[in-house]
Amino acid sequence: MRSALALGVALLAGVSGALGLGVTADRAEAAEARADSLAAVADSLTADSLATARRASQVDSLLAPYAGFEAPRGVSAAEAEAWADARLAEMSLEEKVAQLFIVELGAVRDPDGLARMGVGGFHVFRRTPPREVLAVTNRLQRRADVPLFFSADYEWGVGTARSNFTELPAAMAYGAADREDLAEVGGAVTALEARAQGVNVLFAPVADVNNNPLNPIINTRSFGEDPERVGELAAAYVRGAQANGVLATLKHFPGHGNTDTDTHVDFAAVPGDWRSLWQTELAPYRVALEAEPGFVMSTHLWARALDDAATPATFSRVALSDVLRDSLGYDGLVTTDAMNMAAVRDRYGPRDRAVLPLKAGADVVLNETSPRRAIRYVVEAVESGDLPLARVDESARRVLRAKARLGLHTAPAPDRARLDRMLTEVRGAAFADALTRAAVTRVRPGPLPIRPGQRVALVQMGNFDASRPMARLERDLDPDRHVRVSSRGGGQRTAVSAARTADVAVIAMHLRVGMRLPPRLTDAQQRVVEAIRQTGTPVVVAVLGSPYAAALAPPEAGVVVAYDETTRTASAVADVLRGRVEPTGRLPVDVPGL
């Protein structure tokens, strides 16, 4: 194309000169420059189009194993609105209020009775086996007059080690891979597998900006610390999920990244002024809300920029109404985080936990420990004038409308035989492999790659029972000696001996992020790392989980970071260490000391 445009300019110059049209050499050169510029644009557009086509083809390929397992279609907005209005007009006050509660399965004695009573839905423990989930969702849907929401925290996919659904790495892996198409497929895979067992609401993705290395509970659950990129990846995940039969959830509004406290165990605050909040915590929402997520989940943290008094965002009218509804223009469902978390459970009584979120602007109260009592408190608040009936009607209408948009009132129940067929293989395996391998990040090469013939000592430690990924890493790395170090430092002597006689010592840190599970090594394990460094043997630190642990690596050591601790991640790390593949991931957060 570039040569054709240049030839055209040359011919134009020659013909014009012959005809006496006065096209000067300068003008010809300018025209040629413009032609070059146009050609460059055309080349760029062609390259972009080819890249887009290649990625679309890859997305289709990764989702191909789900052909024939598509989720039921929803209905139009107009049809959903009409159905919601008709159902709302038939409801008593108690029935409307009941729709505003999603109840934790396993934490209530009589879920069948609650389904008949008309609660809005149930929350499913994410590690429940698929056939068990299907049995309970179908049974409870039959009990309910109004279709039920079934939600689950499927941030890591639907699968576990014990099922053929797909186990995925944490969100930071998407951030390290830095590809929106993979985030979109992640949402789609999770949605298809969830809906097949009757779950229709994903409490994912996390839209928090993890800009605090000491954060004990968000960490790898975040896409990273670049606010704009977090928003783009979250939006892609939402698009993929909601195109496949579920509602996705942005959480935890207005942000849970800049804290060193886990709200499961304590109340805390997000520091900073309004400018800081707008530029950092709220930036992902400004981007991701364009994807129209079905839910936004509030956090139990106090945003100091919004409220003078120590108020969790879940109870803050400024956060949920003034900012989320009015400033950001969100008109979907707002759910609280779980009300059985210590941040609110230990500071507020059961009446306040039921009523205050609705007064602030929430539509759904999640996992209140005594739902019948909570419903009664809300009914009493309406009858006394403390909570306007219009506020209840507004939220109930949103709940009903969202259920109808999913087609829950028309779709047939998920079929057991269909689920069995879906579980005959791990249909998302190719995607999980692609994502995991795209995420592995070589931060520093050090002595990498390990060369054939080098003696390798593998020393592994973690903050949980990591026996499965440890065994996989031992198998795929195939070291000359391998040692596992306990949380109390057991195995130190053997580990140091193995390192001293090796050409390369690989220290693998398996660090899971979870409730009451700080993602870091113990002091005793850190002493083992230092003792290995002092042997003088070249060291590689491989982190499977929280990337911030890479700060423990000696300055001269090689550093490889993955972002989860699955067996698939262990295999991908082994391939990078041995030089069998070239890593392409990038570190999506700043790690102090690196």
Side-chain angles (χ1 to χ4, degrees), residues 227-317:
E228 189 82 10
R229 197 60 181 143
V230 168
E232 291 165 349
L233 291 167
Y237 186 100
V238 169
R239 287 193 299 271
Q242 294 192 167
N244 289 281
V246 304
L247 299 179
T249 306
L250 299 181
K251 62 183 187 182
H252 307 81
F253 186 86
H256 202 312
N258 190 12
T259 180
D260 59 4
T261 302
D262 178 0
T263 46
H264 291 93
V265 299
D266 205 357
F267 179 68
V270 174
D273 57 14
W274 168 252
R275 179 184 178 88
S276 171
L277 191 76
W278 182 257
Q279 292 179 341
T280 303
E281 281 81 7
L282 296 180
Y285 288 92
R286 296 200 301 274
V287 175
L289 288 177
E290 293 293 323
E292 300 183 356
F295 278 86
V296 169
M297 178 183 286
S298 67
T299 179
H300 298 327
L301 288 169
W302 167 30
R304 291 179 181 271
L306 301 182
D307 291 281
D308 294 332
T311 306
T314 296
F315 298 162
S316 169
R317 181 168 181 79

Side-chain angles (χ1 to χ4, degrees), residues 42 76 99 112 141 146 173 203 266 273 325 420 426 441 474 500 568 590:
S76 69
Q99 282 294 305
D112 293 77
Q141 288 285 20
V146 176
F203 284 153
D266 205 357
D273 57 14
R325 295 288 190 207
D420 288 342
V426 183
T441 307
E474 289 163 358
R500 188 174 284 119
R568 187 173 274 111
D590 287 331

Side-chain angles (χ1 to χ4, degrees), residues 7-370:
L7 178 62
V9 170
L11 288 173
L12 174 64
V15 171
S16 299
L19 296 177
L21 297 179
V23 176
T24 66
D26 288 345
R27 290 173 64 190
E29 288 175 6
E32 185 172 2
R34 285 196 298 273
D36 287 343
S37 177
L38 288 170
V41 171
D43 290 346
S44 174
L45 289 173
T46 301
D48 288 346
S49 298
L50 287 173
T52 300
R54 280 195 299 269
R55 292 203 168 176
S57 176
Q58 184 174 17
V59 167
D60 291 342
S61 174
L62 292 171
L63 291 177
Y66 294 93
F69 296 99
E70 293 80 8
R73 288 183 172 275
V75 303
S76 69
E79 185 178 341
E81 196 77 45
W83 182 84
D85 287 342
R87 290 309 304 252
L88 191 68
E90 301 168 355
M91 287 180 164
S92 67
L93 174 59
E94 183 181 69
E95 288 170 333
K96 293 175 184 177
V97 170
Q99 282 294 305
L100 312 186
F101 286 84
I102 291 179
V103 180
E104 184 177 11
L105 273 174
V108 291
R109 295 178 182 175
D110 183 20
D112 293 77
L114 287 168
R116 293 188 193 94
M117 182 183 182
V119 295
F122 293 90
H123 183 67
V124 178
F125 177 57
R126 74 179 186 90
R127 293 189 179 276
T128 307
R131 292 179 179 88
E132 186 178 329
V133 175
L134 179 65
V136 73
T137 57
N138 278 348
R139 188 188 81 236
L140 293 175
Q141 288 285 20
R142 288 193 298 270
R143 304 287 188 270
D145 181 48
V146 176
L148 296 162
F149 280 141
F150 284 97
S151 61
D153 288 305
Y154 286 150
E155 296 173 33
W156 302 267
V158 180
T160 68
R162 297 173 180 82
S163 83
N164 263 2
F165 275 152
T166 310
E167 189 177 23
L168 295 175
M172 199 168 282
Y174 296 96
D178 198 28
R179 286 176 49 186
E180 291 172 45
D181 59 328
L182 291 180
E184 188 167 342
V185 175
V189 166
T190 305
L192 287 163
E193 295 184 354
R195 191 69 191 266
Q197 57 183 355
V199 172
N200 44 48
V201 175
L202 304 183
F203 284 153
V206 170
D208 298 322
V209 178
N210 202 82
N211 56 352
N212 187 333
L214 299 178
N215 194 314
I217 192 60
I218 300 302
N219 200 294
T220 56
R221 296 168 62 200
S222 163
F223 291 111
E225 68 175 25
D226 179 332
E228 189 82 10
R229 197 60 181 143
V230 168
E232 291 165 349
L233 291 167
Y237 186 100
V238 169
R239 287 193 299 271
Q242 294 192 167
N244 289 281
V246 304
L247 299 179
T249 306
L250 299 181
K251 62 183 187 182
H252 307 81
F253 186 86
H256 202 312
N258 190 12
T259 180
D260 59 4
T261 302
D262 178 0
T263 46
H264 291 93
V265 299
D266 205 357
F267 179 68
V270 174
D273 57 14
W274 168 252
R275 179 184 178 88
S276 171
L277 191 76
W278 182 257
Q279 292 179 341
T280 303
E281 281 81 7
L282 296 180
Y285 288 92
R286 296 200 301 274
V287 175
L289 288 177
E290 293 293 323
E292 300 183 356
F295 278 86
V296 169
M297 178 183 286
S298 67
T299 179
H300 298 327
L301 288 169
W302 167 30
R304 291 179 181 271
L306 301 182
D307 291 281
D308 294 332
T311 306
T314 296
F315 298 162
S316 169
R317 181 168 181 79
V318 177
L320 302 189
S321 294
D322 296 350
V323 176
L324 181 56
R325 295 288 190 207
D326 298 341
S327 295
L328 298 179
Y330 180 63
D331 191 39
L333 287 163
V334 176
T335 179
T336 71
D337 205 341
M339 301 304 289
N340 54 11
M341 294 166 63
V344 290
R345 185 195 64 220
D346 295 348
R347 291 170 57 88
Y348 297 89
R351 184 188 184 281
D352 284 346
R353 294 198 305 267
V355 176
L356 292 182
L358 302 176
K359 293 179 74 172
D363 302 300
V364 172
V365 178
L366 176 65
N367 291 356
E368 178 51 50
T369 52
S370 180

Side-chain angles (χ1 to χ4, degrees), residues 455-459 481 483 492-506 528 530-539:
R455 294 167 300 172
V456 178
L458 172 62
V459 179
R481 296 181 66 183
V483 184
Q492 175 171 342
R493 183 175 299 177
T494 307
V496 171
S497 173
R500 188 174 284 119
T501 59
D503 297 314
V504 178
V506 176
V528 176
E530 175 59 21
I532 291 172
R533 187 191 70 80
Q534 290 182 4
T535 66
T537 298
V539 170

